[in-house]
Amino acid sequence: MFITRLISGIVLLAIVILTGILGGPVFLSFVALISLLGVYEFYRMLHLQRSILFYTGLGMCLVLDALLFFGKAGAADALPVLVLLIFMTLYVVSYPKLTAREVFASYTGWVYAAVLLSFLYRVRMAEGGEMLLWLVFIGAWGSDTCAYCAGRLFGKHKAFPELSPKKTLEGCIGGVVGTALIAGIYAACIRHWADASSVSVIQFGLIGMSASVISQVGDLAASAMKRNCNIKDYGKLIPGHGGILDRFDSIIFTAPLVYYLVRLFTVWTF
């Protein structure tokens, strides 16, 4: 089991690194693929994978990706409003076949798996995005590693006993501190090797710290949804890890946060 998890993790990481370095249509295709798979996993969790809401959600994923590809960021920002109107129209014309709970849960799932993941591409295509993108993964997967190590070494107090019995307060704090340090070191490396004097170690550290906090929220939110729906994993696509949403649950939250914090701190001029 460990070997399987390790190998699949290495393969996934290699795909992320390769597509992230290439950027452009290649990275957008990767983001589009995981978004479509994420939407499918979410709707399957709700037993709605054969409903009109599901097919509409998939179609709107492609529309979102097309808008981003053609540089229509403003239209992409407005798309969630249009999708809500479409879902409510389907609710009306299909009544009473669809319920309000199904419609709003489906809309939430689309925003969760499609809109939030699209910020991966937005970060990558921003000025300096070839460097900024890795802050998202440092804030998510780096935080997860630091929290695990800190929990194993120092963990004594349960942080969320009913939701995630293995998570400890010490592990959570270690994740935040460790991620801040990694992000700061990453900034120092950029300043030295990429000759980017505008990069601030302190700002990167703060972004890493914030990303760690929200990534842990994302992980716990995914656990809560799975518990409510009585499932262990979202899927089995990634051996040893589960589904796309199992592996990218924290990325879903860190990507938009990093995007907006970078704009706030003006690490690079957008």
Side-chain angles (χ1 to χ4, degrees):
M1 181 66 177
F2 173 76
I3 296 299
T4 300
R5 181 180 176 87
L6 178 63
I7 293 174
S8 60
I10 292 173
V11 171
L12 177 61
L13 182 61
I15 294 173
V16 169
I17 292 174
L18 178 61
T19 58
I21 291 174
L22 293 174
V26 174
F27 189 62
L28 178 60
S29 298
F30 171 71
V31 173
L33 177 61
I34 62 175
S35 296
L36 290 170
L37 292 171
V39 167
Y40 170 72
E41 290 176 354
F42 197 97
Y43 279 63
R44 185 177 60 182
M45 177 183 70
L46 300 173
H47 305 291
L48 291 172
Q49 70 270 30
R50 295 184 180 180
S51 72
I52 185 64
L53 296 171
F54 167 65
Y55 295 109
T56 303
L58 288 184
M60 290 300 101
C61 282
L62 297 177
V63 171
L64 175 61
D65 296 327
L67 290 173
L68 291 175
F69 177 76
F70 289 108
K72 305 296 183 180
D77 289 337
L79 187 61
V81 177
L82 176 61
V83 173
L84 178 59
L85 296 177
I86 293 174
F87 273 31
M88 293 305 294
T89 300
L90 292 174
Y91 178 41
V92 169
V93 300
S94 301
Y95 189 86
K97 185 176 180 181
L98 296 174
T99 67
R101 179 171 306 198
E102 290 173 337
V103 172
F104 287 113
S106 298
Y107 179 73
T108 299
W110 179 78
V111 172
Y112 179 76
V115 176
L116 297 188
L117 273 175
S118 73
F119 279 90
L120 275 173
Y121 180 72
R122 292 180 184 232
V123 172
R124 176 60 182 86
M125 298 312 294
E127 184 176 351
E130 66 276 9
M131 299 294 181
L132 293 173
L133 176 64
W134 310 113
L135 268 178
V136 177
F137 294 95
I138 289 173
W141 294 348
S143 172
D144 185 50
T145 301
C146 291
Y148 174 79
C149 293
R152 293 281 294 180
L153 292 172
F154 310 110
K156 292 182 179 180
H157 302 89
K158 300 295 184 182
F160 306 94
E162 293 188 8
L163 181 55
S164 185
K166 294 183 179 180
K167 287 190 181 296
T168 63
L169 181 59
E170 293 81 4
C172 293
I173 295 173
V176 174
V177 174
T179 306
L181 290 174
I182 294 173
I185 293 171
Y186 178 56
C189 291
I190 293 175
R191 288 176 63 91
H192 179 73
W193 297 107
D195 193 26
S197 59
S198 63
V199 173
S200 167
V201 172
I202 294 177
Q203 288 179 349
F204 265 52
L206 290 173
I207 292 174
M209 183 183 299
S210 302
S212 175
V213 172
I214 202 65
S215 75
Q216 293 183 51
V217 173
D219 180 57
L220 290 166
S223 296
M225 287 188 286
K226 288 186 286 186
R227 284 181 179 273
N228 285 157
C229 294
N230 297 313
I231 60 174
K232 183 179 182 296
D233 295 314
Y234 283 106
K236 299 180 179 179
L237 181 65
I238 308 173
H241 293 268
I244 286 295
L245 294 181
D246 293 296
R247 185 65 276 184
F248 285 84
D249 51 7
S250 54
I251 297 290
I252 287 171
F253 279 38
T254 56
L257 181 72
V258 168
Y259 178 80
Y260 287 116
L261 284 181
V262 167
R263 297 190 66 174
L264 176 65
F265 290 147
T266 60
V267 176
W268 267 279
T269 302
F270 277 67

